[in-house]
């Protein structure tokens, strides 16, 4: 079984020193939007054919150079289905040879062959992520919009295991699988993964509001994940679930108070802020446009794939310039500009709420996280005075 110290497969060469106003912690590049699946939650509204204006091979190499120059962040190839990009492994090889940490999240289709997995291993990809959104074919296949997807995914995972490549499982938590999370965790444990990467559904693309969990259910999931993380053989990372960090800090604080008696609140924050996602990875809360940046298949730069506001295009400007100078990204990086309870919340610098979910629900990326139950101290004090 894998232990929890996966320093070889995670982390960042300069992680703790990264200033998110200058450089991102992670860059997601949607190398193509082509995909054969029809997932009900699809952010990309993926198409069957590649877009004619996709970044060319040369433009892709230049983008990799630009990303590397930003303090060498982690790079993830995604899609659509990144396997439908013909020069994928050439791009990956180029990045790995520069010394970059590269992983990919292809769709589990017939495009994923054992030969391609071997090629990925030879190139030196640090991890391979597959999506599994339910513990049974009924749940997963419904969610993915393609019958047979569950069995195909498990078959591809078996190949990966035979090649001894580190496996990451990506799961979108929504109405579809909320009642089967215990079974899902058992399956992830059985598959011997290094990381369970959990996305809380954001109602964008094909992912709709009625499939989202309620605020109280979000809270329940976060507390469950906190307890699971203590005993699991895999690491747990959450995305579009910034308030999970607040729950982790609260739970750790409570535990320390029990152990030691009263504890200084600021000490609890500083002690846990660097490991709020279960890994000592990011020294403060990565959020859309703040340590996290997304480049689309046509070169549009967005705060994230779930916050689809173009702030520039890498065909016209270097990613570094866009990331550092975009007024929208600068706003997103200033939690004091957040509105409503997020703007006064004592956790705003380590949490900040999901900016993409705020945008999807209200149309304003600075608005308060709509699926958080927490009442900040500032609000409570108002109520008591």
């Amino acid at each position: 079984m894998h232990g929890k110290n996966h320093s070889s497969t995670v982390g960042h060469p300069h992680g703790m020193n990264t200033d998110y106003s200058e450089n991102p912690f992670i860059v997601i590049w949607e190398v193509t939007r082509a995909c054969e699946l029809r997932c009900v939650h699809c952010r990309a509204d993926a198409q069957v054919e590649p877009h004619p204006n996709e970044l060319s091979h040369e433009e892709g190499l230049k983008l990799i150079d630009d990303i590397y120059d930003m303090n060498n962040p982690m790079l993830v190839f995604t899609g659509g289905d990144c396997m439908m990009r013909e020069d994928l492994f050439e791009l990956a090889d180029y990045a790995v040879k520069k010394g970059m940490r590269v992983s990919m999240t292809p769709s589990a289709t017939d495009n994923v062959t054992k030969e391609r997995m071997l090629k990925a291993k030879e190139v030196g990809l640090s991890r391979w992520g597959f999506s599994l959104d339910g513990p049974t074919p009924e749940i997963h296949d419904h969610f993915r919009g393609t019958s047979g997807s569950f069995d195909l995914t498990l078959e591809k995972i078996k190949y990966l295991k035979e090649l001894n490549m580190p496996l990451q499982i990506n799961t979108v938590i929504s109405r579809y699988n909320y009642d089967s999370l215990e079974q899902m965790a058992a399956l992830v444990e059985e598959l011997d993964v290094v990381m369970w990467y959990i996305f809380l559904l954001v109602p964008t693309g094909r992912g709709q509001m009625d499939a989202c969990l309620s605020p109280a259910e979000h809270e329940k999931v976060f507390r469950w994940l906190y307890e699971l993380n203590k005993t699991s053989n895999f690491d747990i990372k959450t995305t579009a679930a910034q308030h999970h960090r607040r729950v982790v800090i609260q739970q750790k604080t409570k535990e320390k108070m029990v152990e030691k008696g009263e504890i200084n609140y600021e000490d609890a924050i500083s002690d846990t802020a660097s490991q709020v996602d279960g890994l000592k990875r990011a020294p403060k809360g990565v959020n859309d446009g703040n340590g996290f940046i997304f480049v689309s298949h046509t070169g549009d730069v967005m705060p994230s794939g779930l916050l689809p506001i173009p702030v520039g295009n890498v065909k016209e400007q270097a990613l570094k310039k866009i990331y550092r100078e975009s007024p929208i990204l600068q706003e997103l990086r200033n939690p004091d500009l957040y509105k409503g309870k997020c703007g006064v919340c004592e956790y705003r610098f380590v949490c900040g709420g999901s900016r993409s979910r705020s945008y999807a629900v209200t149309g304003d990326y600075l608005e308060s996280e709509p699926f958080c139950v927490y009442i900040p101290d500032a609000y409570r004090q108002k109520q008591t005075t």
Side-chain angles (χ1 to χ4, degrees), residues 3 12 25 41 51 65 70 112 179 244 303 324 338 380:
H12 185 290
F25 178 71
H41 70 292
H51 193 283
D65 288 340
M70 298 177 78
V112 178
D179 293 325
H244 177 229
R324 293 175 183 173
Y338 298 166
R380 287 177 211 200

Side-chain angles (χ1 to χ4, degrees), residues 37-106:
L37 299 181
R38 295 181 295 279
C39 305
V40 293
H41 70 292
C42 182
R43 163 203 62 74
D45 245 337
Q47 313 301 324
V48 180
E49 294 293 327
H51 193 283
N53 293 334
E54 253 177 29
L55 292 182
S56 68
H57 182 70
E58 289 67 32
E59 287 166 338
L61 296 177
K62 181 183 178 298
L63 174 61
I64 289 168
D65 288 340
D66 286 352
I67 293 168
Y68 177 79
D69 286 342
M70 298 177 78
N71 207 21
N72 195 9
M74 293 173 73
L75 173 60
V76 179
F77 291 138
T78 187
D81 177 8
C82 53
M83 281 286 155
M84 291 185 76
R85 176 147 182 148
E86 289 176 10
D87 61 348
L88 180 69
F89 290 114
E90 291 166 52
L91 293 167
D93 187 49
Y94 182 76
V96 170
K97 281 183 173 148
K98 286 180 80 81
M100 297 176 76
R101 311 254 341 125
V102 183
S103 60
M104 62 167 72
T105 57

Side-chain angles (χ1 to χ4, degrees), residues 252-283:
K252 280 184 183 287
T253 305
K254 277 181 196 164
E255 285 170 12
K256 288 194 175 184
M257 287 172 121
V258 170
E259 280 172 33
K260 301 178 182 175
E262 287 298 312
I263 180 174
N264 180 290
Y265 177 75
E266 279 70 31
D267 288 348
I269 289 274
S270 62
D271 181 52
T272 55
S274 67
Q275 44 187 313
V276 288
D277 58 0
L279 288 174
K280 291 183 180 176
R281 293 181 61 171

